[in-house]
Amino acid sequence: MTKVLVVQFSAAFGKVQENLLKLENTLKDNINKDEQIDLVVVPEFFATSTDYVNHATDENGGEILDRVKTLAKLYHTNFIAGSIVRRVGTKLYNSSFALNRNGEVIGIYDKIHLFNYFGGQEGTKSTPGSKLCTVDFDFGKTGIAICFDIRYPMQFRDMVKLGVKMIVLPTAWIFPQEQLKDPAFRQDCVDIWRAMAKTRAYDNVVYFVVCNQTGIISPVMEGLGNSMVVSPYGKIEASLDTKEGVIKADLDFSKVDIARDEFPVQELI
């Protein structure tokens, strides 16, 4: 079994130190002394919320990633550091860092599909990445994508061609606060969100792990929450609603092998 800890919380707008302290305390409160966690996942923009331009780090992740490296070593766990906006030359990239249990960077994914729709302007601030990211953790090969990538199914299919059995999606899936005050609108958003995650898992016969922002994260925006772990059969095995919290889930990768024997997706793509 592979034990995954998914951290869902509200990152305070632009308050880096406060957010990092919240992360540290959340792990302290939810990882038992003798417990082995194989992977910790945190959301997109976990340290800055959407005030990321004013807090862009150097290309190596700056102090934000240094703090995460310390946590990976302290808990002897692999880590996907949701996303950190980093400056490479004159360009900004929305990047997810994968760390091993020694706190070493073993993969960096630059978000390919930036959110430029329905009023979003991510592409005016950041530069899109151009390469898929798969990481060889000690428990297995894992694909990494970020947030709006979920709308692009072929990105995940291409990861399957590279042999992944799990895909992790840190997100800041957010909406204007005023819109989410309408219960019907909120429920529609949740239904679509869950349907997309279940479909990506089912179509690709992978575990699909979603880690989202929740609650008020800026003066006008709110995270949808609903982080989840979806099985290779498209079943939500564990999930959260809109409260801050964690998911602890035991993933059995033999389920992926069994499902792929039944439906050999890897031979059909």
PDB file of all heavy atoms in Angstrom, residues 7 9 11 41-50 52 80-85 94-96 111 113-115 122 145-148 169-174 211-213 217:
ATOM      1  N   VAL A   7      -3.529  17.650   1.450  1.00  0.00           N
ATOM      2  CA  VAL A   7      -3.794  18.775   2.346  1.00  0.00           C
ATOM      3  C   VAL A   7      -4.642  19.820   1.618  1.00  0.00           C
ATOM      4  O   VAL A   7      -4.194  20.428   0.647  1.00  0.00           O
ATOM      5  CB  VAL A   7      -2.487  19.426   2.827  1.00  0.00           C
ATOM      6  CG1 VAL A   7      -2.791  20.612   3.756  1.00  0.00           C
ATOM      7  CG2 VAL A   7      -1.608  18.406   3.541  1.00  0.00           C
ATOM      8  N   PHE A   9      -6.466  23.398   2.095  1.00  0.00           N
ATOM      9  CA  PHE A   9      -6.626  24.529   2.995  1.00  0.00           C
ATOM     10  C   PHE A   9      -6.779  25.830   2.229  1.00  0.00           C
ATOM     11  O   PHE A   9      -6.635  25.872   1.008  1.00  0.00           O
ATOM     12  CB  PHE A   9      -5.486  24.622   4.015  1.00  0.00           C
ATOM     13  CG  PHE A   9      -4.132  24.957   3.459  1.00  0.00           C
ATOM     14  CD1 PHE A   9      -3.719  26.272   3.293  1.00  0.00           C
ATOM     15  CD2 PHE A   9      -3.239  23.945   3.157  1.00  0.00           C
ATOM     16  CE1 PHE A   9      -2.461  26.583   2.818  1.00  0.00           C
ATOM     17  CE2 PHE A   9      -1.964  24.245   2.680  1.00  0.00           C
ATOM     18  CZ  PHE A   9      -1.571  25.552   2.514  1.00  0.00           C
ATOM     19  N   ALA A  11      -5.269  29.259   1.475  1.00  0.00           N
ATOM     20  CA  ALA A  11      -4.050  30.049   1.540  1.00  0.00           C
ATOM     21  C   ALA A  11      -4.420  31.532   1.622  1.00  0.00           C
ATOM     22  O   ALA A  11      -5.141  32.040   0.774  1.00  0.00           O
ATOM     23  CB  ALA A  11      -3.178  29.783   0.318  1.00  0.00           C
ATOM     24  N   VAL A  41       0.720  15.937  -0.635  1.00  0.00           N
ATOM     25  CA  VAL A  41       0.354  16.820  -1.740  1.00  0.00           C
ATOM     26  C   VAL A  41      -0.307  18.065  -1.169  1.00  0.00           C
ATOM     27  O   VAL A  41      -1.177  17.972  -0.295  1.00  0.00           O
ATOM     28  CB  VAL A  41      -0.629  16.140  -2.717  1.00  0.00           C
ATOM     29  CG1 VAL A  41      -0.891  17.049  -3.920  1.00  0.00           C
ATOM     30  CG2 VAL A  41      -0.101  14.786  -3.169  1.00  0.00           C
ATOM     31  N   VAL A  42       0.103  19.233  -1.651  1.00  0.00           N
ATOM     32  CA  VAL A  42      -0.517  20.497  -1.243  1.00  0.00           C
ATOM     33  C   VAL A  42      -1.009  21.233  -2.483  1.00  0.00           C
ATOM     34  O   VAL A  42      -0.622  20.921  -3.602  1.00  0.00           O
ATOM     35  CB  VAL A  42       0.466  21.364  -0.428  1.00  0.00           C
ATOM     36  CG1 VAL A  42       0.850  20.669   0.866  1.00  0.00           C
ATOM     37  CG2 VAL A  42       1.714  21.709  -1.229  1.00  0.00           C
ATOM     38  N   PRO A  43      -1.880  22.245  -2.311  1.00  0.00           N
ATOM     39  CA  PRO A  43      -2.540  22.855  -3.473  1.00  0.00           C
ATOM     40  C   PRO A  43      -1.640  23.766  -4.310  1.00  0.00           C
ATOM     41  O   PRO A  43      -0.557  24.179  -3.895  1.00  0.00           O
ATOM     42  CB  PRO A  43      -3.673  23.686  -2.833  1.00  0.00           C
ATOM     43  CG  PRO A  43      -3.820  23.171  -1.443  1.00  0.00           C
ATOM     44  CD  PRO A  43      -2.462  22.705  -1.042  1.00  0.00           C
ATOM     45  N   GLU A  44      -2.150  24.102  -5.466  1.00  0.00           N
ATOM     46  CA  GLU A  44      -1.587  25.171  -6.284  1.00  0.00           C
ATOM     47  C   GLU A  44      -1.588  26.465  -5.469  1.00  0.00           C
ATOM     48  O   GLU A  44      -2.523  26.733  -4.719  1.00  0.00           O
ATOM     49  CB  GLU A  44      -2.444  25.334  -7.548  1.00  0.00           C
ATOM     50  CG  GLU A  44      -1.947  26.373  -8.529  1.00  0.00           C
ATOM     51  CD  GLU A  44      -2.874  26.527  -9.736  1.00  0.00           C
ATOM     52  OE1 GLU A  44      -4.075  26.162  -9.628  1.00  0.00           O
ATOM     53  OE2 GLU A  44      -2.407  27.014 -10.777  1.00  0.00           O
ATOM     54  N   PHE A  45      -0.516  27.260  -5.602  1.00  0.00           N
ATOM     55  CA  PHE A  45      -0.400  28.550  -4.907  1.00  0.00           C
ATOM     56  C   PHE A  45      -0.534  28.403  -3.390  1.00  0.00           C
ATOM     57  O   PHE A  45      -1.077  29.269  -2.703  1.00  0.00           O
ATOM     58  CB  PHE A  45      -1.447  29.554  -5.403  1.00  0.00           C
ATOM     59  CG  PHE A  45      -1.467  29.789  -6.889  1.00  0.00           C
ATOM     60  CD1 PHE A  45      -2.677  29.893  -7.566  1.00  0.00           C
ATOM     61  CD2 PHE A  45      -0.302  29.908  -7.625  1.00  0.00           C
ATOM     62  CE1 PHE A  45      -2.723  30.118  -8.943  1.00  0.00           C
ATOM     63  CE2 PHE A  45      -0.326  30.130  -8.999  1.00  0.00           C
ATOM     64  CZ  PHE A  45      -1.548  30.233  -9.662  1.00  0.00           C
ATOM     65  N   PHE A  46      -0.031  27.297  -2.835  1.00  0.00           N
ATOM     66  CA  PHE A  46      -0.243  27.005  -1.417  1.00  0.00           C
ATOM     67  C   PHE A  46       0.396  28.031  -0.494  1.00  0.00           C
ATOM     68  O   PHE A  46      -0.048  28.209   0.643  1.00  0.00           O
ATOM     69  CB  PHE A  46       0.282  25.604  -1.073  1.00  0.00           C
ATOM     70  CG  PHE A  46       1.784  25.468  -1.149  1.00  0.00           C
ATOM     71  CD1 PHE A  46       2.566  25.579  -0.018  1.00  0.00           C
ATOM     72  CD2 PHE A  46       2.410  25.214  -2.363  1.00  0.00           C
ATOM     73  CE1 PHE A  46       3.950  25.448  -0.086  1.00  0.00           C
ATOM     74  CE2 PHE A  46       3.781  25.082  -2.450  1.00  0.00           C
ATOM     75  CZ  PHE A  46       4.561  25.198  -1.304  1.00  0.00           C
ATOM     76  N   ALA A  47       1.429  28.724  -0.936  1.00  0.00           N
ATOM     77  CA  ALA A  47       2.120  29.685  -0.059  1.00  0.00           C
ATOM     78  C   ALA A  47       1.722  31.135  -0.297  1.00  0.00           C
ATOM     79  O   ALA A  47       1.973  31.988   0.563  1.00  0.00           O
ATOM     80  CB  ALA A  47       3.641  29.549  -0.218  1.00  0.00           C
ATOM     81  N   THR A  48       1.116  31.425  -1.421  1.00  0.00           N
ATOM     82  CA  THR A  48       0.867  32.823  -1.792  1.00  0.00           C
ATOM     83  C   THR A  48      -0.581  33.142  -2.078  1.00  0.00           C
ATOM     84  O   THR A  48      -0.956  34.311  -2.154  1.00  0.00           O
ATOM     85  CB  THR A  48       1.658  33.184  -3.068  1.00  0.00           C
ATOM     86  OG1 THR A  48       1.193  32.369  -4.155  1.00  0.00           O
ATOM     87  CG2 THR A  48       3.140  32.987  -2.862  1.00  0.00           C
ATOM     88  N   SER A  49      -1.419  32.112  -2.252  1.00  0.00           N
ATOM     89  CA  SER A  49      -2.718  32.279  -2.886  1.00  0.00           C
ATOM     90  C   SER A  49      -2.483  32.920  -4.256  1.00  0.00           C
ATOM     91  O   SER A  49      -1.412  32.743  -4.851  1.00  0.00           O
ATOM     92  CB  SER A  49      -3.677  33.095  -2.019  1.00  0.00           C
ATOM     93  OG  SER A  49      -4.953  33.163  -2.623  1.00  0.00           O
ATOM     94  N   THR A  50      -3.434  33.672  -4.768  1.00  0.00           N
ATOM     95  CA  THR A  50      -3.291  34.190  -6.132  1.00  0.00           C
ATOM     96  C   THR A  50      -2.454  35.466  -6.204  1.00  0.00           C
ATOM     97  O   THR A  50      -2.326  36.061  -7.275  1.00  0.00           O
ATOM     98  CB  THR A  50      -4.674  34.437  -6.751  1.00  0.00           C
ATOM     99  OG1 THR A  50      -5.458  35.241  -5.865  1.00  0.00           O
ATOM    100  CG2 THR A  50      -5.389  33.117  -7.001  1.00  0.00           C
ATOM    101  N   TYR A  52       0.575  35.761  -6.473  1.00  0.00           N
ATOM    102  CA  TYR A  52       1.838  35.090  -6.740  1.00  0.00           C
ATOM    103  C   TYR A  52       2.868  35.964  -7.443  1.00  0.00           C
ATOM    104  O   TYR A  52       4.073  35.757  -7.272  1.00  0.00           O
ATOM    105  CB  TYR A  52       1.604  33.800  -7.530  1.00  0.00           C
ATOM    106  CG  TYR A  52       0.801  33.954  -8.803  1.00  0.00           C
ATOM    107  CD1 TYR A  52       1.390  34.388  -9.989  1.00  0.00           C
ATOM    108  CD2 TYR A  52      -0.558  33.632  -8.832  1.00  0.00           C
ATOM    109  CE1 TYR A  52       0.655  34.510 -11.148  1.00  0.00           C
ATOM    110  CE2 TYR A  52      -1.295  33.744  -9.987  1.00  0.00           C
ATOM    111  CZ  TYR A  52      -0.691  34.191 -11.142  1.00  0.00           C
ATOM    112  OH  TYR A  52      -1.424  34.313 -12.288  1.00  0.00           O
ATOM    113  N   ILE A  80       4.789  16.610  -3.168  1.00  0.00           N
ATOM    114  CA  ILE A  80       4.497  17.414  -4.363  1.00  0.00           C
ATOM    115  C   ILE A  80       4.071  18.786  -3.867  1.00  0.00           C
ATOM    116  O   ILE A  80       2.997  18.944  -3.280  1.00  0.00           O
ATOM    117  CB  ILE A  80       3.427  16.758  -5.241  1.00  0.00           C
ATOM    118  CG1 ILE A  80       3.977  15.467  -5.857  1.00  0.00           C
ATOM    119  CG2 ILE A  80       2.984  17.723  -6.356  1.00  0.00           C
ATOM    120  CD1 ILE A  80       3.003  14.729  -6.751  1.00  0.00           C
ATOM    121  N   ALA A  81       4.952  19.748  -4.077  1.00  0.00           N
ATOM    122  CA  ALA A  81       4.739  21.112  -3.583  1.00  0.00           C
ATOM    123  C   ALA A  81       3.869  21.858  -4.579  1.00  0.00           C
ATOM    124  O   ALA A  81       4.346  22.626  -5.402  1.00  0.00           O
ATOM    125  CB  ALA A  81       6.068  21.820  -3.366  1.00  0.00           C
ATOM    126  N   GLY A  82       2.581  21.595  -4.469  1.00  0.00           N
ATOM    127  CA  GLY A  82       1.498  22.163  -5.257  1.00  0.00           C
ATOM    128  C   GLY A  82       1.930  23.002  -6.425  1.00  0.00           C
ATOM    129  O   GLY A  82       2.117  22.504  -7.520  1.00  0.00           O
ATOM    130  N   SER A  83       2.103  24.293  -6.196  1.00  0.00           N
ATOM    131  CA  SER A  83       2.792  25.114  -7.187  1.00  0.00           C
ATOM    132  C   SER A  83       3.383  26.335  -6.524  1.00  0.00           C
ATOM    133  O   SER A  83       2.850  26.874  -5.550  1.00  0.00           O
ATOM    134  CB  SER A  83       1.889  25.525  -8.352  1.00  0.00           C
ATOM    135  OG  SER A  83       1.055  26.615  -8.019  1.00  0.00           O
ATOM    136  N   ILE A  84       4.526  26.718  -7.065  1.00  0.00           N
ATOM    137  CA  ILE A  84       5.267  27.912  -6.664  1.00  0.00           C
ATOM    138  C   ILE A  84       5.560  28.677  -7.943  1.00  0.00           C
ATOM    139  O   ILE A  84       6.047  28.088  -8.912  1.00  0.00           O
ATOM    140  CB  ILE A  84       6.590  27.543  -5.968  1.00  0.00           C
ATOM    141  CG1 ILE A  84       6.323  26.727  -4.687  1.00  0.00           C
ATOM    142  CG2 ILE A  84       7.413  28.789  -5.658  1.00  0.00           C
ATOM    143  CD1 ILE A  84       7.583  26.109  -4.086  1.00  0.00           C
ATOM    144  N   VAL A  85       5.241  29.943  -7.969  1.00  0.00           N
ATOM    145  CA  VAL A  85       5.555  30.735  -9.158  1.00  0.00           C
ATOM    146  C   VAL A  85       7.013  31.182  -9.054  1.00  0.00           C
ATOM    147  O   VAL A  85       7.408  31.826  -8.085  1.00  0.00           O
ATOM    148  CB  VAL A  85       4.608  31.930  -9.300  1.00  0.00           C
ATOM    149  CG1 VAL A  85       5.065  32.840 -10.446  1.00  0.00           C
ATOM    150  CG2 VAL A  85       3.190  31.427  -9.573  1.00  0.00           C
ATOM    151  N   ASN A  94       4.469  28.849 -13.475  1.00  0.00           N
ATOM    152  CA  ASN A  94       3.705  28.260 -12.383  1.00  0.00           C
ATOM    153  C   ASN A  94       4.140  26.804 -12.281  1.00  0.00           C
ATOM    154  O   ASN A  94       3.750  25.977 -13.106  1.00  0.00           O
ATOM    155  CB  ASN A  94       2.210  28.377 -12.673  1.00  0.00           C
ATOM    156  CG  ASN A  94       1.353  27.918 -11.525  1.00  0.00           C
ATOM    157  OD1 ASN A  94       1.847  27.569 -10.459  1.00  0.00           O
ATOM    158  ND2 ASN A  94       0.044  27.913 -11.732  1.00  0.00           N
ATOM    159  N   SER A  95       4.944  26.498 -11.271  1.00  0.00           N
ATOM    160  CA  SER A  95       5.689  25.238 -11.257  1.00  0.00           C
ATOM    161  C   SER A  95       5.375  24.396 -10.032  1.00  0.00           C
ATOM    162  O   SER A  95       5.270  24.907  -8.915  1.00  0.00           O
ATOM    163  CB  SER A  95       7.199  25.525 -11.277  1.00  0.00           C
ATOM    164  OG  SER A  95       7.547  26.350 -12.372  1.00  0.00           O
ATOM    165  N   SER A  96       5.266  23.099 -10.266  1.00  0.00           N
ATOM    166  CA  SER A  96       5.110  22.132  -9.187  1.00  0.00           C
ATOM    167  C   SER A  96       6.430  21.383  -9.023  1.00  0.00           C
ATOM    168  O   SER A  96       6.975  20.856  -9.992  1.00  0.00           O
ATOM    169  CB  SER A  96       3.977  21.152  -9.494  1.00  0.00           C
ATOM    170  OG  SER A  96       3.722  20.325  -8.386  1.00  0.00           O
ATOM    171  N   LYS A 111       3.318  24.473 -15.488  1.00  0.00           N
ATOM    172  CA  LYS A 111       1.933  24.359 -15.949  1.00  0.00           C
ATOM    173  C   LYS A 111       1.820  24.724 -17.427  1.00  0.00           C
ATOM    174  O   LYS A 111       2.228  25.813 -17.849  1.00  0.00           O
ATOM    175  CB  LYS A 111       1.044  25.267 -15.094  1.00  0.00           C
ATOM    176  CG  LYS A 111      -0.441  25.185 -15.394  1.00  0.00           C
ATOM    177  CD  LYS A 111      -1.200  26.085 -14.421  1.00  0.00           C
ATOM    178  CE  LYS A 111      -2.695  26.064 -14.647  1.00  0.00           C
ATOM    179  NZ  LYS A 111      -3.384  26.989 -13.700  1.00  0.00           N
ATOM    180  N   HIS A 113      -1.230  24.529 -19.432  1.00  0.00           N
ATOM    181  CA  HIS A 113      -2.486  25.176 -19.827  1.00  0.00           C
ATOM    182  C   HIS A 113      -2.869  26.244 -18.802  1.00  0.00           C
ATOM    183  O   HIS A 113      -3.400  25.926 -17.730  1.00  0.00           O
ATOM    184  CB  HIS A 113      -3.593  24.133 -19.983  1.00  0.00           C
ATOM    185  CG  HIS A 113      -3.281  23.103 -21.016  1.00  0.00           C
ATOM    186  ND1 HIS A 113      -2.859  21.828 -20.691  1.00  0.00           N
ATOM    187  CD2 HIS A 113      -3.303  23.166 -22.366  1.00  0.00           C
ATOM    188  CE1 HIS A 113      -2.639  21.146 -21.802  1.00  0.00           C
ATOM    189  NE2 HIS A 113      -2.901  21.924 -22.830  1.00  0.00           N
ATOM    190  N   LEU A 114      -2.579  27.472 -19.138  1.00  0.00           N
ATOM    191  CA  LEU A 114      -2.857  28.587 -18.233  1.00  0.00           C
ATOM    192  C   LEU A 114      -4.314  29.020 -18.373  1.00  0.00           C
ATOM    193  O   LEU A 114      -4.918  28.904 -19.443  1.00  0.00           O
ATOM    194  CB  LEU A 114      -1.913  29.751 -18.528  1.00  0.00           C
ATOM    195  CG  LEU A 114      -0.417  29.405 -18.467  1.00  0.00           C
ATOM    196  CD1 LEU A 114       0.426  30.638 -18.777  1.00  0.00           C
ATOM    197  CD2 LEU A 114      -0.032  28.826 -17.109  1.00  0.00           C
ATOM    198  N   PHE A 115      -4.858  29.544 -17.272  1.00  0.00           N
ATOM    199  CA  PHE A 115      -6.281  29.885 -17.254  1.00  0.00           C
ATOM    200  C   PHE A 115      -6.476  31.298 -17.790  1.00  0.00           C
ATOM    201  O   PHE A 115      -6.236  32.294 -17.098  1.00  0.00           O
ATOM    202  CB  PHE A 115      -6.839  29.767 -15.838  1.00  0.00           C
ATOM    203  CG  PHE A 115      -8.325  29.995 -15.780  1.00  0.00           C
ATOM    204  CD1 PHE A 115      -9.209  29.107 -16.382  1.00  0.00           C
ATOM    205  CD2 PHE A 115      -8.845  31.112 -15.149  1.00  0.00           C
ATOM    206  CE1 PHE A 115     -10.576  29.317 -16.354  1.00  0.00           C
ATOM    207  CE2 PHE A 115     -10.213  31.333 -15.109  1.00  0.00           C
ATOM    208  CZ  PHE A 115     -11.075  30.442 -15.708  1.00  0.00           C
ATOM    209  N   GLU A 122      -4.220  34.467 -16.298  1.00  0.00           N
ATOM    210  CA  GLU A 122      -2.965  33.839 -15.898  1.00  0.00           C
ATOM    211  C   GLU A 122      -1.908  33.945 -16.990  1.00  0.00           C
ATOM    212  O   GLU A 122      -0.725  34.145 -16.719  1.00  0.00           O
ATOM    213  CB  GLU A 122      -3.205  32.374 -15.539  1.00  0.00           C
ATOM    214  CG  GLU A 122      -1.999  31.697 -14.926  1.00  0.00           C
ATOM    215  CD  GLU A 122      -2.251  30.266 -14.522  1.00  0.00           C
ATOM    216  OE1 GLU A 122      -3.283  29.685 -14.944  1.00  0.00           O
ATOM    217  OE2 GLU A 122      -1.413  29.706 -13.787  1.00  0.00           O
ATOM    218  N   ALA A 145       0.213  17.228 -13.045  1.00  0.00           N
ATOM    219  CA  ALA A 145      -0.390  18.308 -13.822  1.00  0.00           C
ATOM    220  C   ALA A 145      -0.891  19.344 -12.829  1.00  0.00           C
ATOM    221  O   ALA A 145      -0.836  19.133 -11.612  1.00  0.00           O
ATOM    222  CB  ALA A 145      -1.519  17.786 -14.693  1.00  0.00           C
ATOM    223  N   ILE A 146      -1.361  20.482 -13.316  1.00  0.00           N
ATOM    224  CA  ILE A 146      -1.829  21.549 -12.426  1.00  0.00           C
ATOM    225  C   ILE A 146      -3.162  22.086 -12.926  1.00  0.00           C
ATOM    226  O   ILE A 146      -3.298  22.489 -14.084  1.00  0.00           O
ATOM    227  CB  ILE A 146      -0.809  22.709 -12.328  1.00  0.00           C
ATOM    228  CG1 ILE A 146       0.528  22.234 -11.752  1.00  0.00           C
ATOM    229  CG2 ILE A 146      -1.365  23.849 -11.474  1.00  0.00           C
ATOM    230  CD1 ILE A 146       1.614  23.317 -11.735  1.00  0.00           C
ATOM    231  N   CYS A 147      -4.152  22.071 -12.068  1.00  0.00           N
ATOM    232  CA  CYS A 147      -5.414  22.792 -12.181  1.00  0.00           C
ATOM    233  C   CYS A 147      -6.062  22.709 -13.561  1.00  0.00           C
ATOM    234  O   CYS A 147      -6.616  21.696 -13.933  1.00  0.00           O
ATOM    235  CB  CYS A 147      -5.209  24.242 -11.745  1.00  0.00           C
ATOM    236  SG  CYS A 147      -6.747  25.075 -11.235  1.00  0.00           S
ATOM    237  N   PHE A 148      -5.985  23.782 -14.342  1.00  0.00           N
ATOM    238  CA  PHE A 148      -6.731  23.879 -15.593  1.00  0.00           C
ATOM    239  C   PHE A 148      -6.300  22.848 -16.625  1.00  0.00           C
ATOM    240  O   PHE A 148      -7.010  22.604 -17.599  1.00  0.00           O
ATOM    241  CB  PHE A 148      -6.613  25.292 -16.171  1.00  0.00           C
ATOM    242  CG  PHE A 148      -7.666  25.627 -17.196  1.00  0.00           C
ATOM    243  CD1 PHE A 148      -9.016  25.576 -16.878  1.00  0.00           C
ATOM    244  CD2 PHE A 148      -7.317  25.996 -18.484  1.00  0.00           C
ATOM    245  CE1 PHE A 148      -9.989  25.876 -17.818  1.00  0.00           C
ATOM    246  CE2 PHE A 148      -8.284  26.309 -19.436  1.00  0.00           C
ATOM    247  CZ  PHE A 148      -9.620  26.246 -19.097  1.00  0.00           C
ATOM    248  N   LEU A 169      -2.929  16.183  -9.208  1.00  0.00           N
ATOM    249  CA  LEU A 169      -3.350  17.475  -9.740  1.00  0.00           C
ATOM    250  C   LEU A 169      -3.515  18.485  -8.596  1.00  0.00           C
ATOM    251  O   LEU A 169      -4.582  18.573  -7.996  1.00  0.00           O
ATOM    252  CB  LEU A 169      -4.671  17.326 -10.493  1.00  0.00           C
ATOM    253  CG  LEU A 169      -5.169  18.547 -11.260  1.00  0.00           C
ATOM    254  CD1 LEU A 169      -4.502  18.628 -12.637  1.00  0.00           C
ATOM    255  CD2 LEU A 169      -6.687  18.517 -11.429  1.00  0.00           C
ATOM    256  N   PRO A 170      -2.467  19.252  -8.260  1.00  0.00           N
ATOM    257  CA  PRO A 170      -2.660  20.371  -7.339  1.00  0.00           C
ATOM    258  C   PRO A 170      -3.465  21.461  -8.045  1.00  0.00           C
ATOM    259  O   PRO A 170      -3.219  21.751  -9.223  1.00  0.00           O
ATOM    260  CB  PRO A 170      -1.230  20.849  -7.047  1.00  0.00           C
ATOM    261  CG  PRO A 170      -0.330  19.791  -7.590  1.00  0.00           C
ATOM    262  CD  PRO A 170      -1.069  19.118  -8.688  1.00  0.00           C
ATOM    263  N   THR A 171      -4.404  22.075  -7.329  1.00  0.00           N
ATOM    264  CA  THR A 171      -5.279  23.041  -7.984  1.00  0.00           C
ATOM    265  C   THR A 171      -5.605  24.228  -7.092  1.00  0.00           C
ATOM    266  O   THR A 171      -5.538  24.156  -5.860  1.00  0.00           O
ATOM    267  CB  THR A 171      -6.624  22.391  -8.398  1.00  0.00           C
ATOM    268  OG1 THR A 171      -7.385  22.119  -7.227  1.00  0.00           O
ATOM    269  CG2 THR A 171      -6.416  21.107  -9.149  1.00  0.00           C
ATOM    270  N   ALA A 172      -5.965  25.311  -7.762  1.00  0.00           N
ATOM    271  CA  ALA A 172      -6.673  26.431  -7.131  1.00  0.00           C
ATOM    272  C   ALA A 172      -7.899  26.645  -8.019  1.00  0.00           C
ATOM    273  O   ALA A 172      -7.965  27.584  -8.813  1.00  0.00           O
ATOM    274  CB  ALA A 172      -5.802  27.679  -7.067  1.00  0.00           C
ATOM    275  N   TRP A 173      -8.852  25.726  -7.907  1.00  0.00           N
ATOM    276  CA  TRP A 173     -10.075  25.768  -8.723  1.00  0.00           C
ATOM    277  C   TRP A 173     -11.017  26.737  -8.027  1.00  0.00           C
ATOM    278  O   TRP A 173     -11.648  26.397  -7.040  1.00  0.00           O
ATOM    279  CB  TRP A 173     -10.670  24.373  -8.840  1.00  0.00           C
ATOM    280  CG  TRP A 173     -11.632  24.208  -9.977  1.00  0.00           C
ATOM    281  CD1 TRP A 173     -12.986  24.277  -9.922  1.00  0.00           C
ATOM    282  CD2 TRP A 173     -11.296  23.942 -11.346  1.00  0.00           C
ATOM    283  NE1 TRP A 173     -13.527  24.080 -11.179  1.00  0.00           N
ATOM    284  CE2 TRP A 173     -12.513  23.867 -12.072  1.00  0.00           C
ATOM    285  CE3 TRP A 173     -10.084  23.775 -12.030  1.00  0.00           C
ATOM    286  CZ2 TRP A 173     -12.548  23.618 -13.448  1.00  0.00           C
ATOM    287  CZ3 TRP A 173     -10.132  23.529 -13.392  1.00  0.00           C
ATOM    288  CH2 TRP A 173     -11.354  23.455 -14.086  1.00  0.00           C
ATOM    289  N   ILE A 174     -11.066  27.959  -8.552  1.00  0.00           N
ATOM    290  CA  ILE A 174     -11.689  29.060  -7.815  1.00  0.00           C
ATOM    291  C   ILE A 174     -12.753  29.768  -8.655  1.00  0.00           C
ATOM    292  O   ILE A 174     -12.752  29.685  -9.890  1.00  0.00           O
ATOM    293  CB  ILE A 174     -10.623  30.091  -7.365  1.00  0.00           C
ATOM    294  CG1 ILE A 174      -9.874  30.673  -8.572  1.00  0.00           C
ATOM    295  CG2 ILE A 174      -9.650  29.439  -6.394  1.00  0.00           C
ATOM    296  CD1 ILE A 174      -8.823  31.728  -8.204  1.00  0.00           C
ATOM    297  N   CYS A 211      -5.880  17.950  -5.242  1.00  0.00           N
ATOM    298  CA  CYS A 211      -5.658  18.712  -4.003  1.00  0.00           C
ATOM    299  C   CYS A 211      -5.964  20.177  -4.276  1.00  0.00           C
ATOM    300  O   CYS A 211      -5.236  20.846  -5.021  1.00  0.00           O
ATOM    301  CB  CYS A 211      -4.218  18.541  -3.544  1.00  0.00           C
ATOM    302  SG  CYS A 211      -3.850  19.386  -1.989  1.00  0.00           S
ATOM    303  N   ASN A 212      -7.020  20.693  -3.654  1.00  0.00           N
ATOM    304  CA  ASN A 212      -7.552  22.005  -4.035  1.00  0.00           C
ATOM    305  C   ASN A 212      -7.487  23.014  -2.890  1.00  0.00           C
ATOM    306  O   ASN A 212      -7.489  22.667  -1.705  1.00  0.00           O
ATOM    307  CB  ASN A 212      -9.006  21.850  -4.486  1.00  0.00           C
ATOM    308  CG  ASN A 212      -9.506  23.028  -5.297  1.00  0.00           C
ATOM    309  OD1 ASN A 212      -8.728  23.852  -5.770  1.00  0.00           O
ATOM    310  ND2 ASN A 212     -10.811  23.114  -5.464  1.00  0.00           N
ATOM    311  N   GLN A 213      -7.461  24.283  -3.285  1.00  0.00           N
ATOM    312  CA  GLN A 213      -7.701  25.376  -2.353  1.00  0.00           C
ATOM    313  C   GLN A 213      -9.186  25.382  -1.974  1.00  0.00           C
ATOM    314  O   GLN A 213     -10.045  24.934  -2.742  1.00  0.00           O
ATOM    315  CB  GLN A 213      -7.371  26.714  -3.015  1.00  0.00           C
ATOM    316  CG  GLN A 213      -5.924  26.923  -3.340  1.00  0.00           C
ATOM    317  CD  GLN A 213      -5.148  27.602  -2.220  1.00  0.00           C
ATOM    318  OE1 GLN A 213      -5.672  27.861  -1.140  1.00  0.00           O
ATOM    319  NE2 GLN A 213      -3.895  27.879  -2.477  1.00  0.00           N
ATOM    320  N   ILE A 217      -9.813  32.949  -0.532  1.00  0.00           N
ATOM    321  CA  ILE A 217      -8.368  32.990  -0.753  1.00  0.00           C
ATOM    322  C   ILE A 217      -7.884  34.318  -1.332  1.00  0.00           C
ATOM    323  O   ILE A 217      -6.693  34.497  -1.549  1.00  0.00           O
ATOM    324  CB  ILE A 217      -7.910  31.836  -1.662  1.00  0.00           C
ATOM    325  CG1 ILE A 217      -8.475  31.968  -3.070  1.00  0.00           C
ATOM    326  CG2 ILE A 217      -8.300  30.489  -1.069  1.00  0.00           C
ATOM    327  CD1 ILE A 217      -7.772  31.091  -4.077  1.00  0.00           C
TER     328      ILE A 217
END
